[in-house]
Amino acid sequence: MTNRKSSIKVDTEFSLIERYFAGRDSYHSDTLLSVGDDAALLQIPQNHQLVLSVDTLVEGTHFLKGADPEALAHKLLAVNLSDLAAMGAEPRWATLALTLPEVDSQWLDHFSRGLFLLAERYQIDLVGGDTTRGPLTLTLQIHGIIPLSAEVRRRGAKPGEQICVTNSLGAAGFALQQLLEGEGGASVAVLQQPLDRPTPQIEAGLLLRNHATAMIDISDGLLADLGHILEQSGVGAWLELDAIPIHPYLLDLPRVQQLTLALTAGEDYQLCFTLSPERLEEVANGLAEIGCEMSVVGEIRSQSGLHWEGEWRPEKEGFQHF
């Protein structure tokens, strides 16, 4: 994200960057050069490795026209942070690319506020990016660090290990479903919080990197995302449907709808991970100390595929772009 101090009009690319995204103090001494040059300079701490992830949100695909820009910025950063959490990484830096149909000062004020509020919570330096004209598209790349060989990958699950998830599932998916169907009311407004402003499980990921054998964040639905762990680990799984942690606001829905939302709707940004049985109590206690709940929802098996008791099967496993 380049930045030139000049008398360029307020609505040019460089003045937008300077007004809304530049001039902030760095949180980290290893941010050697931030916004203001052709590229950033970052110093990776000794005995650490860099962890990168990138996500794009497109109007009409990932969010509705007229969505709150402050919430959009929060979610854009949060979904990237969720990827770092799934690796057990510590957040450090971000780069941002904005494609805007027009210059809207009020929109940019709210967007930048939402971005920097969450960045402050996790001490993230914005170190570069780009702005251009076009259909509203938001892209953010997150950079994290992790000690050498300490990352938790999707592969690594072994037969006999327990399948666990953090907190509860289904609320964000239900809120999105209601919004798309034109529903409103107080209950939907409450559920929009996990949809619009998800909480990335960074603290849980940092704890779990010392214990989990495999891990992934739940963005496309538990069935789809757990399926990635099974595929890359070369194993299968047995799920206990009664153990799936349903969000409290969904408990009045029919059981099939509860399960469909929790297993396939996605947008939860919780963590799914595998543990050896002897680690369960220690990890559950550690997560409880940071305010994170944990549920054991199944077991890794050597037989391939994902199985559970009963004949019910959802119509789809999770969200897919194509």
Side-chain angles (χ1 to χ4, degrees), residues 163-171 218 222 239-251 255 258-259 261-263 268 270-271 293-298:
I163 303 166
C164 309
V165 297
T166 56
N167 297 310
S168 61
L169 307 176
I218 305 173
L222 178 59
L239 275 186
E240 295 289 347
L241 296 187
D242 289 341
I244 303 297
I246 307 296
H247 192 281
Y249 280 95
L250 308 185
L251 295 180
R255 182 59 177 166
Q258 293 177 25
L259 288 173
L261 289 166
L263 294 176
D268 292 301
Q270 297 298 328
L271 297 176
E293 298 178 356
M294 182 186 96
S295 299
V296 178
V297 299

Side-chain angles (χ1 to χ4, degrees), residues 272-290:
C272 173
F273 54 98
T274 54
L275 287 175
S276 60
E278 58 268 21
R279 295 281 184 110
L280 287 176
E281 183 176 0
E282 179 185 1
V283 170
N285 290 337
L287 289 174
E289 289 178 3
I290 61 173

Side-chain angles (χ1 to χ4, degrees), residues 186-265:
S187 60
V188 175
V190 169
L191 291 173
Q192 272 192 258
Q193 183 71 15
L195 174 64
D196 292 344
R197 299 175 186 267
T199 301
Q201 300 300 307
I202 291 293
E203 295 86 354
L206 292 173
L207 185 151
L208 287 165
R209 79 181 182 197
N210 297 316
H211 305 280
T213 57
M215 188 155 60
I216 192 170
D217 74 322
I218 305 173
S219 56
D220 296 329
L222 178 59
L223 293 187
D225 292 317
L226 175 57
H228 296 313
I229 288 180
L230 303 184
E231 181 180 1
Q232 295 205 19
S233 299
V235 294
W238 177 266
L239 275 186
E240 295 289 347
L241 296 187
D242 289 341
I244 303 297
I246 307 296
H247 192 281
Y249 280 95
L250 308 185
L251 295 180
D252 290 336
L253 298 177
R255 182 59 177 166
V256 168
Q257 188 177 4
Q258 293 177 25
L259 288 173
T260 300
L261 289 166
L263 294 176
T264 70

Side-chain angles (χ1 to χ4, degrees), residues 44-264:
I44 309 303
Q46 188 174 10
N47 298 320
H48 283 70
Q49 54 196 349
L50 189 63
V51 186
L52 299 178
S53 184
V54 64
D55 271 289
T56 295
L57 302 182
V58 179
E59 185 178 65
T61 299
H62 302 96
F63 60 91
L64 302 177
K65 187 177 180 62
D68 175 10
E70 188 169 330
L72 283 178
H74 176 107
K75 187 164 187 175
L76 178 65
L77 180 52
V79 300
N80 278 275
L81 286 169
S82 186
D83 288 330
L84 291 193
M87 301 290 288
E90 175 188 344
R92 261 303 199 272
W93 306 286
T95 55
L96 172 69
L98 291 179
T99 302
L100 305 170
E102 61 182 359
V103 175
D104 183 333
S105 296
Q106 185 176 21
W107 190 96
L108 285 164
D109 277 332
H110 288 284
F111 180 87
S112 59
R113 180 165 65 241
L115 181 71
F116 288 116
L117 279 174
L118 189 59
E120 181 180 12
R121 176 177 174 180
Y122 294 103
Q123 304 286 281
I124 299 165
D125 290 333
L126 181 67
V127 296
D130 191 27
T131 57
T132 189
R133 182 183 295 274
L136 185 58
T137 305
L138 320 171
T139 299
L140 187 139
Q141 184 179 58
I142 196 75
H143 307 63
I145 58 171
I146 196 167
L148 294 174
S149 302
E151 76 280 356
V152 186
R153 304 189 185 191
R154 296 177 180 183
R155 69 181 193 218
K158 299 176 181 61
E161 292 178 341
Q162 305 298 288
I163 303 166
C164 309
V165 297
T166 56
N167 297 310
S168 61
L169 307 176
F174 183 63
L176 179 59
Q177 182 183 92
Q178 296 295 96
L179 288 172
L180 293 175
E181 293 174 357
E183 300 291 337
S187 60
V188 175
V190 169
L191 291 173
Q192 272 192 258
Q193 183 71 15
L195 174 64
D196 292 344
R197 299 175 186 267
T199 301
Q201 300 300 307
I202 291 293
E203 295 86 354
L206 292 173
L207 185 151
L208 287 165
R209 79 181 182 197
N210 297 316
H211 305 280
T213 57
M215 188 155 60
I216 192 170
D217 74 322
I218 305 173
S219 56
D220 296 329
L222 178 59
L223 293 187
D225 292 317
L226 175 57
H228 296 313
I229 288 180
L230 303 184
E231 181 180 1
Q232 295 205 19
S233 299
V235 294
W238 177 266
L239 275 186
E240 295 289 347
L241 296 187
D242 289 341
I244 303 297
I246 307 296
H247 192 281
Y249 280 95
L250 308 185
L251 295 180
D252 290 336
L253 298 177
R255 182 59 177 166
V256 168
Q257 188 177 4
Q258 293 177 25
L259 288 173
T260 300
L261 289 166
L263 294 176
T264 70

